[in-house]
Amino acid sequence: AEKTEAAAKVLRDAELPKLEAPKATAKNKAELHNKTVNDLNKALREQEASCTRDSQAFVAYNTAIHSRRYEALKSLAQLQIESMNLKPDERKKNAKKIEQAANQLKNVNQDIQRLEQTHLAAQTQTLASDMKETTARQAENEAWKERTEAQTLLKAAMEVFNAVEQNYQAAKFTADQIRNEISRSKRDSEMAKGKIGILAPSLQTTFHP
């Protein structure tokens, strides 16, 4: 039984080091994948934030074009039309209002230019965040594939090791049982010898008066 145990242990000890490389690879691939997951989540948050800024910039730009500029143009046009129907002396008074309306339209157009640049910048940032998200997602997919492959190799190595480990444990269990029986027998033998030693004088007296 001890020879069987020793032989099984040799096989088990030979397979044990073979687990180190698959375990280390699986651990490294898992850590790498976890990092790519964190990077992807960060990229998704940045993408969402950039999309929100882009949407807000577009709304502001679009509102300025279709609302503020329309109202400024409308006011200027009305004043100009009214001026055409006024007498020459009244047109001077209206000219100041027309100038103010023209300045207002100019300010609105300047705001529109600024909002357009803001919108273009937001679009550029959104495009960059989209590309970053795509890159991060590709990296996460590749890392997941490598992690799965590493886990498959580790599982195969574990199956081989578990087989020899079970054989070793079974042989060790059998050998331990026999060793325990031998130890118990030795104890019983020593106890018997002790009892014989105690009884020897009385036995000698009995049979040799």
Side-chain angles (χ1 to χ4, degrees), residues 2 8 31 35 37 45 66 75 88 96 106 113 126 178:
E2 287 182 339
E31 291 175 351
K35 181 181 181 302
V37 169
R45 289 192 296 269
H66 295 91
S75 297
K96 186 174 182 180
K106 180 180 178 181
Q113 290 180 350
T126 301
I178 294 174

Side-chain angles (χ1 to χ4, degrees), residues 19 42 53 58 65 75 80 91 114-115 118 124 127 144 146 155 163 167-168 170 182 192 207:
L19 290 178
K42 182 180 178 182
R53 289 192 295 269
F58 172 75
I65 292 175
S75 297
Q80 288 174 335
R91 290 180 182 177
R114 178 181 57 80
L115 292 171
T118 301
T124 301
L127 179 60
W144 170 251
E146 292 179 0
K155 182 180 179 181
N167 289 336
Y168 166 66
I182 292 173
F207 292 101

Side-chain angles (χ1 to χ4, degrees), residues 30-47:
E31 291 175 351
L32 176 61
H33 177 247
N34 290 336
K35 181 181 181 302
T36 60
V37 169
N38 291 334
D39 291 342
L40 176 58
N41 289 333
K42 182 180 178 182
L44 288 171
R45 289 192 296 269
E46 292 178 358
Q47 183 187 46

Side-chain angles (χ1 to χ4, degrees), residues 131-183:
M131 294 177 63
K132 186 175 181 180
E133 184 272 338
T134 299
T135 301
R137 188 173 297 279
Q138 291 174 345
E140 190 273 334
N141 288 336
E142 184 63 26
W144 170 251
K145 184 171 69 175
E146 292 179 0
R147 179 178 186 173
T148 302
E149 291 174 352
Q151 287 291 340
T152 300
L153 292 175
L154 176 59
K155 182 180 179 181
M158 286 297 299
E159 288 176 353
V160 174
F161 174 76
N162 288 338
V164 296
E165 172 70 8
Q166 289 174 1
N167 289 336
Y168 166 66
Q169 292 297 336
K172 184 176 183 300
F173 177 77
T174 300
D176 285 343
Q177 282 188 317
I178 294 174
R179 282 189 285 264
N180 290 335
E181 287 293 328
I182 292 173
S183 296

Side-chain angles (χ1 to χ4, degrees), residues 10-11 24 39 42 46 49 52 62 75 87 103-104 111 140 156 174 181 203 207:
V10 169
L11 293 176
D39 291 342
K42 182 180 178 182
E46 292 178 358
T52 299
N62 191 58
S75 297
K87 296 178 181 180
N103 289 333
Q104 179 64 28
D111 286 344
E140 190 273 334
T174 300
E181 287 293 328
L203 289 173
F207 292 101

